[in-house]
Amino acid sequence: MRSPSAFTFAGGEGLSLAAVAFLVTLLCGVPLALLFAIGLTSEGGLSLGPLADTLASRSVQRALWNSLESSFLSACLATVLGTVLALALGLTNVRAKAPLVFLILLPMMIPPHVTAIAWSQALGPASPVLQAVGLAPAAGAPHPVYSLAGLVALLSFQHMPIVFLVVRAGLRAFPRELSDAARVSGARAPRLLWRITLPLLAPSLLAGFVLAFVSALGNFGINALIGIPARYTTLPVLIWRRLAGYGPSVIGDVALISMLLGIVTLGLVAIQVLLQRRMRNALVGLPQQPLAVDLGRARLPVEASVWLMLAAALLLPALSLFATSLMRTYGLPLAASSLTLENYAEILFRQAVTLRAFANSTVAAALAALLIAGLSILLGYFLAMRRGIARRLAGLVAAQADVAYAVPGLVMSIAFILMFLRPLPVLGVSLYGTMAIILLAYVAVFLAIGLNSVMAAYMQVDASLDDAARVSGAGFFRRLVRIHAPLVAPAAASGAILVFLTSYNEVTVSALLWSSGNETIGTTIFNYEDGGYTTLAAAMSSITVVATVLVMLAVNGLARHVPAGAIPWKD
Amino acid sequence: MKTKLLAALMTVSLATPAFADLSGKLVLYTSQPNADAQQTVDAFKAKHPGLEIEWVRDGTSKVMAKLQAEFAAGDPQPDLLLIADTVTMESLKKEGRLLAHEGADVSAYDPAIMDKDRTYFSTKLITTGIVYNTGASMVPASYKDLLKPEAKDSFAMPSPLTSGAATIHMVSVTSNPDLGWAFYEGLAEQGALAQGGNGGVYKAVAGGEKLYGFLVDFMAIRGAAEGAPVAFVFPEEGVSAVTEPVAILKTAKNVEAAKAFVDFLISEEGQALAASQGYLPAHPGVPAPKGFPARDKIKLLNFDPAAALEGDAANKMKFEEIFGG
């Protein structure tokens, strides 16, 4: 039997690893390295000068401060909301947990630009729902969502599900002995929560907070559609506006601002990793069924408040979005005479761009999902090894994917423009302005999502299976195809579906990469809204939301076949 | 021999009728609203069913940024541009990016709005004035009314960083001796929201988030016809105007089809289509649509295109400084 450390780079195994490493480095590592190279050099030498110049600009300072302020506040709120919900669902005997989890995670899967459009329609003077109940603000009154508070509320609502997932996973891995011991010693629920549960959850809370913070920093849809009318410019909007308004002649300037955003993001992640290392509590106990504390008479009120909160957060914007999509023209009061299906007819039958965008996004998202599933199965095989050069190399590759996922999509797309604007060597064509650049960017940015799912499955595969096949003389590809792939396939599939949904609904990556004939659903909705065709934007958003919910429900069918945790909205 | 040649030439010209069956792909970059762009493209395609037409819509400034990116990548996509203003076209012409279409028939048009070298052609007259929400208490008649307390924090305008029409409006208004940059500074002190394009302003005023705005005429007049709570004012100082010119790029891949598209837009039929969409046609023989005053009643602010091109970057910088970009 060959031990993992006897690994050599000969044969299919070595070649496969080399190929994956090359591809991922080309897509994730090199573009970012190029971005940093531009930012950190001046006149051929290493220099912090350009970055310092960028930081000295007043508009950059203001945008940086706004980004930090809104992201910090929204991360705090998201952490509180997500944790409360995770505790309510993870520790108590609240009923109907499955549909609740589905609804709690829904905001995460709805594209942020759609959330922004829906809320701006829901709370303004022209709100169809508020007008119907006579609560709409008077014409000319300031729009409540177009403010720092509105921006923070929407961002935290969008990212609350991330915190919920992380804290719930933390609760799962929670050793029951401690809480049992405390309860036996007579500690009551609040004391248990305060002295035992929350301190033990600290690493999860921190991770959730940082994830929400980083997601808010890179969020483009909400920052643009709410921040611009609120006159509150954040870094992603500054980057987008400069590049969309002045073109690539300012790419150097924009690259520096993106790098700044990238540095802030990576810095936060690094701090989190450091803090978590210090906090790690070595605890006894395997993952087990979480507690189901009997709430007694409090159960009904707790249930009612959870459902009410979700209803207010989901129903009001959804109804407004749907009602606006049926309006003859924006600004009319809600009445039978102002309703029409014209907007749907316009986007489905007359506007060529809409159907093209649906087709483009579907194909690009599906291809990205397939490619990522393939890459993840291959890369995961090496990551699951216990040690050796191959494991270390694979770890290096996976780290690049993690970084590409962590930095905001807009930063990655700037890096992609830097890398692919000039014609490719040998072929002589530029990828910029083609669907290929968007597809490759999806693979680079969302690889980490697919890899995560697959790794959950690889960890459960017994290493002796591989050894047995080796001893029987099976080559690398044979083992991969006959043993590993079938075992991790369901997880890879659910990872692929997550990748599909994420790319199908994104706008941050394609906002700067789209071109004639290569529009995505996200850019089309965004451009309708930005161009003032809010009824068309509402119609297209409604279709997207319905499609997303249907895909999520369809994925539930996969639930029995995948390891726990592979589908976020399933237990 | 001579007659044979002549006969051969005759057959060739007969075999190529005025509307040759064009084929292949035609790519158009435009700042027209989506629905209008689609209608225009559909009407043209009805004449040439063999053509495949692809188009992209965005604000003029953003269309230009996209095009600059494609120039840099060495592969400009569009055959044709149909954007807000002649100033932008003039700068492209200077860079040598535009193809002359010598055969275009512009005899009916005012020579002042057509390029004498036939590289770009004005297709309509789009004026920018004041839109207001009909729920507002004050009905503005002059630009200066917007500095009144009633308009405090409830005024929106398109940004020159997005919109070509807004750029021309800014230059026209600020070079008016009665208004000047002091007027724009006054608007900033009023808490004016100056971001995005005309569409965003329309949405804000129609939705009642803002009560007043600078806006292109057709959006307001058309919205009012559909029943939206908006109305349009031609201020007493005058309105600014852009002419939405069309041009063919030198790098066009389908030059014949592009020329046919230009011919279509400036034909009486194309002009009638523009009028039916609610635009003031550039062709003097085509009547204005409902909701517009008679053409000789519309007063235009003075505008010097050469000076506008010269001071373009400086003007935009000044704007960014006043309104914070």
Side-chain angles (χ1 to χ4, degrees):
Chain A
M1 194 188 104
R2 283 165 61 182
S3 76
S5 53
F7 179 88
T8 61
F9 276 92
E13 208 158 342
L15 277 179
S16 305
L17 178 58
V20 176
F22 176 75
L23 195 65
V24 176
T25 308
L26 194 68
L27 290 182
C28 300
V30 178
L32 278 173
L34 210 59
L35 180 71
F36 278 69
I38 284 196
L40 294 178
T41 53
S42 108
E43 287 149 20
L46 207 60
S47 158
L48 284 174
L51 198 59
D53 288 345
T54 305
L55 262 175
S57 144
R58 249 185 55 208
S59 53
V60 172
Q61 282 173 5
R62 195 169 42 201
L64 174 63
W65 169 250
N66 286 351
S67 268
L68 289 174
E69 180 184 46
S70 57
S71 304
F72 174 78
L73 291 175
S74 78
C76 290
L77 194 57
T79 306
V80 172
L81 283 176
T83 307
V84 167
L85 285 173
L87 291 176
L89 267 76
L91 286 184
T92 72
N93 62 344
V94 165
R95 283 164 294 187
K97 281 182 185 172
L100 275 177
V101 170
F102 187 87
L103 290 178
I104 289 172
L105 295 189
L106 201 52
M108 182 172 79
M109 305 313 292
I110 303 286
H113 47 280
V114 170
T115 309
I117 293 170
W119 278 103
S120 78
Q121 289 164 351
L123 296 182
S127 163
V129 177
L130 293 188
Q131 277 190 356
V133 294
L135 284 177
H143 193 304
V145 170
Y146 294 152
S147 62
L148 173 59
L151 182 72
V152 167
L154 259 57
L155 283 173
S156 48
F157 185 56
Q158 188 84 31
H159 303 130
M160 167 273 283
I162 301 178
V163 181
F164 173 82
L165 282 177
V166 174
V167 174
R168 196 175 64 139
L171 283 174
R172 285 275 162 75
F174 207 66
R176 203 154 156 179
E177 289 80 355
L178 274 174
S179 45
D180 284 348
R183 274 147 66 88
V184 168
S185 328
R188 308 201 34 133
R191 193 178 162 80
L192 182 71
L193 190 68
W194 196 243
R195 298 298 298 274
I196 308 271
T197 313
L198 284 178
L200 283 179
L201 274 180
S204 303
L205 293 180
L206 178 73
F209 175 82
V210 169
L211 275 175
F213 200 128
V214 166
S215 308
L217 271 180
N219 188 307
F220 174 66
I222 293 177
N223 272 321
L225 291 176
I226 302 299
I228 291 177
R231 302 177 75 179
Y232 188 85
T233 306
T234 49
L235 282 177
V237 176
L238 190 70
I239 293 170
W240 170 74
R241 191 188 280 150
R242 290 252 168 113
L243 200 65
Y246 294 97
S249 56
V250 295
I251 188 90
D253 175 36
V254 171
L256 283 163
I257 308 177
S258 334
M259 200 177 96
L260 191 63
L261 187 55
I263 291 176
V264 172
T265 308
L266 294 180
L268 277 166
V269 175
I271 292 174
Q272 179 217 338
V273 171
L274 277 180
L275 282 178
Q276 251 173 350
R277 254 188 217 152
R278 299 188 54 181
M279 283 199 291
R280 177 148 306 158
N281 303 302
L283 286 169
V284 279
L286 291 165
Q288 46 196 300
Q289 268 309 303
L291 292 172
V293 176
D294 191 356
L295 287 172
R297 265 180 306 172
R299 180 158 90 164
L300 202 61
V302 168
E303 284 175 341
S305 39
V306 171
W307 280 100
L308 265 178
M309 187 185 123
L310 286 175
L314 290 171
L315 269 183
L316 180 62
L319 282 178
S320 305
L321 188 70
F322 193 58
T324 307
S325 76
L326 293 173
M327 285 289 185
R328 220 157 18 83
T329 179
Y330 187 60
L332 288 181
L334 188 65
S337 63
S338 39
L339 296 183
T340 173
L341 286 174
E342 251 317 281
N343 298 318
Y344 287 94
E346 179 75 28
I347 60 160
L348 291 181
F349 304 123
R350 283 196 284 280
Q351 293 283 327
V353 58
T354 327
L355 289 184
R356 201 160 65 217
F358 274 118
N360 283 344
S361 277
T362 310
V363 171
L367 281 178
L370 281 178
L371 282 171
I372 286 177
L375 278 176
S376 306
I377 290 179
L378 211 54
L379 188 56
Y381 171 83
F382 298 105
L383 278 175
M385 292 179 161
R386 256 150 296 165
R387 55 185 182 277
I389 293 181
R391 165 72 183 82
R392 256 176 299 174
L393 183 58
L396 209 63
V397 172
Q400 291 181 44
D402 283 340
V403 171
Y405 180 64
V407 299
L410 219 53
V411 176
M412 265 320 265
S413 62
I414 296 280
F416 259 64
I417 294 177
L418 285 173
M419 174 128 167
F420 293 113
L421 183 63
R422 252 160 295 169
L424 291 178
V426 187
L427 292 177
V429 289
S430 168
L431 282 187
Y432 184 75
T434 67
M435 205 63 213
I437 195 170
I438 297 182
L439 172 63
L440 290 180
Y442 284 171
V443 173
V445 174
F446 303 130
L447 175 59
I449 300 180
L451 198 54
N452 231 359
S453 293
V454 172
M455 282 318 291
Y458 263 118
M459 286 307 167
Q460 296 177 347
V461 176
D462 194 336
S464 55
L465 273 177
D466 193 60
D467 294 341
R470 260 182 220 269
V471 171
S472 326
F476 169 64
F477 285 111
R478 196 180 167 82
R479 275 178 284 129
L480 196 69
V481 171
R482 300 295 295 275
I483 300 191
H484 296 282
L487 285 172
V488 300
S494 80
I497 289 162
L498 274 183
V499 169
F500 177 83
L501 274 178
T502 316
S503 349
Y504 185 78
N505 281 332
E506 68 77 38
V507 71
T508 43
V509 178
S510 54
L512 295 174
L513 296 178
W514 71 278
S515 56
S516 149
N518 302 312
E519 302 87 352
T520 63
I521 297 176
T523 58
T524 309
I525 293 180
F526 186 85
N527 287 343
Y528 276 140
E529 177 69 14
D530 193 48
Y533 313 100
T534 200
T535 49
L536 297 185
M540 197 165 170
S541 301
S542 301
I543 296 177
T544 315
V545 168
V546 171
T548 304
V549 173
L550 287 181
V551 172
M552 284 173 70
L553 287 173
V555 174
N556 278 354
L558 254 179
R560 278 187 302 129
H561 308 286
V562 299
I567 303 176
W569 56 87
K570 270 315 251 196
D571 276 320
Chain B
M1 185 66 206
K2 210 173 178 185
T3 40
K4 254 189 172 173
L5 193 70
L6 215 87
L9 275 174
M10 292 266 287
T11 352
V12 169
S13 59
L14 279 178
T16 331
F19 281 105
D21 224 27
L22 298 166
S23 62
K25 200 168 92 170
L26 188 66
V27 182
L28 167 72
Y29 277 17
T30 180
S31 62
Q32 271 196 309
N34 296 55
D36 302 332
Q38 188 69 49
Q39 265 185 15
T40 312
V41 163
D42 289 348
F44 179 63
K45 201 172 149 59
K47 292 185 160 301
H48 305 285
L51 269 180
E52 186 199 332
I53 308 175
E54 214 170 66
W55 57 273
V56 164
R57 190 224 95 87
D58 215 327
T60 297
S61 307
K62 286 196 207 153
V63 167
M64 290 308 298
K66 198 159 213 34
L67 193 60
Q68 294 297 348
E70 294 173 1
F71 285 146
D75 186 23
Q77 302 288 319
D79 299 288
L80 282 160
L81 292 179
L82 175 57
I83 54 176
D85 61 292
T86 48
V87 176
T88 311
M89 287 299 192
E90 194 60 41
S91 75
L92 282 171
K93 185 186 164 191
K94 267 194 176 163
E95 289 171 25
R97 301 276 187 197
L98 301 185
L99 183 84
H101 175 17
E102 308 281 359
D105 176 16
V106 293
S107 52
Y109 290 85
D110 178 357
I113 58 169
M114 293 295 180
D115 176 33
K116 62 178 188 338
D117 299 321
R118 302 272 192 278
T119 60
Y120 58 82
F121 307 89
S122 294
T123 62
K124 30 188 97 73
L125 224 62
I126 298 176
T127 72
T128 295
I130 301 173
V131 64
Y132 66 91
N133 186 298
T134 47
S137 56
M138 185 251 319
V139 174
S142 133
Y143 285 111
K144 289 191 173 144
D145 287 342
L146 296 173
L147 300 180
K148 288 183 176 167
E150 287 96 323
K152 178 101 183 123
D153 290 327
S154 47
F155 175 77
M157 62 199 271
S159 163
L161 305 180
T162 300
S163 154
T167 313
I168 306 288
H169 192 64
M170 168 180 74
V171 176
S172 304
V173 169
T174 54
S175 55
N176 180 307
D178 283 344
L179 300 166
W181 279 105
F183 171 67
Y184 262 49
E185 274 160 22
L187 287 178
E189 276 164 33
Q190 283 281 65
L193 175 68
Q195 279 165 346
N198 279 284
V201 172
Y202 176 75
K203 188 202 163 194
V205 175
E209 290 149 24
K210 300 285 170 194
L211 295 176
Y212 308 98
F214 285 157
L215 191 66
V216 287
D217 51 21
F218 67 91
M219 272 193 193
I221 290 173
R222 196 156 60 182
E226 280 169 354
V230 293
F232 189 73
V233 174
F234 291 84
E236 55 197 31
E237 294 93 336
V239 288
S240 70
V242 293
T243 57
E244 199 159 81
V246 62
I248 305 170
L249 285 183
K250 261 202 184 130
T251 43
K253 289 163 192 128
N254 198 344
V255 174
E256 282 316 304
K259 285 184 173 170
F261 189 80
V262 172
D263 292 339
F264 171 72
L265 286 185
I266 58 175
S267 70
E268 283 207 33
E269 187 191 357
Q271 291 290 298
L273 174 70
S276 76
Q277 292 170 338
Y279 295 102
L280 211 53
H283 193 299
V286 179
K290 239 179 74 185
F292 281 89
R295 196 168 313 190
D296 49 5
K297 292 272 157 55
I298 298 175
K299 185 180 166 194
L300 290 182
L301 289 162
N302 279 333
F303 175 68
D304 177 358
L309 183 58
E310 185 79 15
D312 191 49
N315 283 332
K316 283 182 180 162
M317 294 281 265
K318 195 153 185 176
F319 180 88
E320 255 195 298
E321 221 169 83
I322 297 177
F323 290 94

